[in-house]
Amino acid sequence: MAEIVGAYFTSHVPAIGGAIHKGLQQDPYWKPFFDGFDKVHEWLAQVKPDVAIVFNNDHGLNFFLDKMPTFAVGAAHEYHNADEGWGLPLYKSFQGHTELSWHLIEHLVESEFDVTTCQKMLVDHALSIPFELAWPDVDAWPVKIVPFAINTVQHPLPSAKRCLALGRAVHEALKTWQGDERIVIIGTGGLSHQLDGERAGFINAEYDKFCLDNLSKDPDALTQHSIHEMVRLSGTQGVEILNWIAARGALGEAAASEIHRNYHIPISNTAAATLLLEPDALVGA
């Protein structure tokens, strides 16, 4: 049977990709952020996942304001990175786990989640940069992926409660998967930030700490705020915390242990964070 080895959460700011490309990891501005990944590398080398289920959000490569699914799931054999206009290099392509994708999709539809199935899907910095951070300098990604894209852009947005339920439905689907893979759950984005409008540059460290403190032991606490309250607390783009909430749901309802945390302000006007969680008892899915 498959095993969920834990969850990895991190920010995906495009400027991080620029810093990697320019070799600025030891620059004083960037060093506190990149230093937080030594433990991530050690942990991944220890748990050795071979599949990653990734909750992120699309930034216009697949969907735009005229067509914006609430939840989309990749079911492709391969996922290519594409240029979004940030001037970043194109990253390595990803191999998909199509059989697991369809297993999850079928379970989610049976569980009354109306997901959009994508047999072709491009991936942007929201997925590629977290992988560059986790597995630097590899010739090929060591895991196959199942990507989820959550709408964090066009209102109406899904609630935190709905995203947590989505993740928990994924966890239930994994319990019936007959493969023997070692699965890591990944959530990307945030934390608090707003890139435009009157509150451009907004960061809320208190709310970020609330989210980080509760993800491991009490993720339901993050569902107490409406989506509009979350925008107020986290910033317009800070609602990417929805990706983290869905990923936490996929880890299961039981409490999890925090293995590592790094929090740094600012990275390109964003409160950047990295978090590792493990089930208190490793879950045989």
Side-chain angles (χ1 to χ4, degrees):
M1 297 179 70
E3 182 178 64
I4 302 173
V5 298
Y8 158 54
F9 308 79
T10 195
S11 303
H12 63 221
V13 183
I16 297 169
I20 294 172
H21 183 57
K22 296 172 185 176
L24 299 178
Q25 291 90 333
Q26 296 303 308
D27 182 90
Y29 181 83
W30 288 102
K31 181 175 170 56
F33 174 73
F34 282 99
D35 282 354
F37 285 88
D38 291 343
K39 180 64 178 178
V40 175
H41 303 153
E42 294 172 5
W43 181 77
L44 288 169
Q46 175 186 352
V47 300
K48 294 181 173 63
D50 44 32
V51 176
I53 297 175
V54 190
F55 295 87
N56 70 133
N57 53 295
D58 180 77
H59 295 84
L61 284 181
N62 299 285
F63 317 114
F64 200 61
L65 303 184
D66 57 340
K67 298 180 183 69
M68 183 64 67
T70 301
F71 301 126
V73 189
H77 292 283
E78 193 172 23
Y79 301 89
H80 299 290
N81 179 235
D83 182 17
E84 306 163 66
W86 292 105
L88 299 175
L90 294 183
Y91 298 110
K92 297 180 285 293
S93 295
F94 298 81
Q95 187 176 0
H97 195 318
T98 51
E99 296 86 356
L100 181 56
S101 288
W102 282 111
H103 176 76
L104 297 179
I105 290 164
E106 289 171 1
H107 180 88
L108 289 170
V109 173
E110 289 173 1
S111 301
E112 301 185 346
F113 284 91
D114 300 320
V115 296
T116 298
T117 302
C118 301
Q119 296 184 62
K120 292 183 179 179
M121 178 185 273
L122 296 170
V123 296
D124 63 24
H125 70 272
L127 195 148
S128 296
I129 286 177
F131 274 70
E132 289 286 333
L133 291 167
W135 289 282
D137 305 320
V138 296
D139 294 328
W141 303 119
V143 296
K144 295 181 179 181
I145 67 169
V146 177
F148 281 70
I150 295 177
N151 174 25
T152 65
V153 176
Q154 173 81 331
H155 287 264
L157 305 180
S159 66
K161 182 178 180 180
R162 188 62 171 164
C163 290
L164 186 61
L166 173 76
R168 286 174 172 167
V170 168
H171 182 81
E172 290 303 309
L174 291 174
K175 288 183 178 180
T176 62
W177 175 246
Q178 295 303 306
D180 60 358
E181 296 89 347
R182 294 174 63 80
I183 298 172
V184 63
I185 310 297
I186 299 178
T188 89
L191 289 180
S192 63
H193 64 297
Q194 181 154 330
L195 304 180
D196 50 11
E198 294 181 358
R199 293 203 306 167
F202 172 81
I203 288 176
N204 186 347
E206 182 178 353
Y207 180 69
D208 293 339
K209 185 176 186 299
F210 164 79
C211 292
L212 291 167
D213 287 346
N214 283 287
L215 273 168
S216 58
K217 301 300 182 185
D218 186 17
D220 288 281
L222 277 67
T223 69
Q224 66 182 271
H225 302 112
S226 71
I227 195 65
H228 293 97
E229 289 172 327
M230 291 178 71
V231 170
R232 177 179 59 82
L233 289 165
S234 68
T236 305
Q237 286 76 36
V239 291
E240 289 173 347
I241 190 65
L242 293 174
N243 301 331
W244 290 46
I245 293 170
R248 174 60 182 88
L251 197 56
E253 292 196 39
S257 296
E258 182 176 314
I259 306 302
H260 171 66
R261 179 195 300 197
N262 185 49
Y263 182 74
H264 179 61
I265 298 175
I267 293 297
S268 185
N269 293 327
T270 302
T274 304
L275 184 70
L276 293 178
L277 299 180
E278 278 187 355
D280 283 348
L282 284 183
V283 179

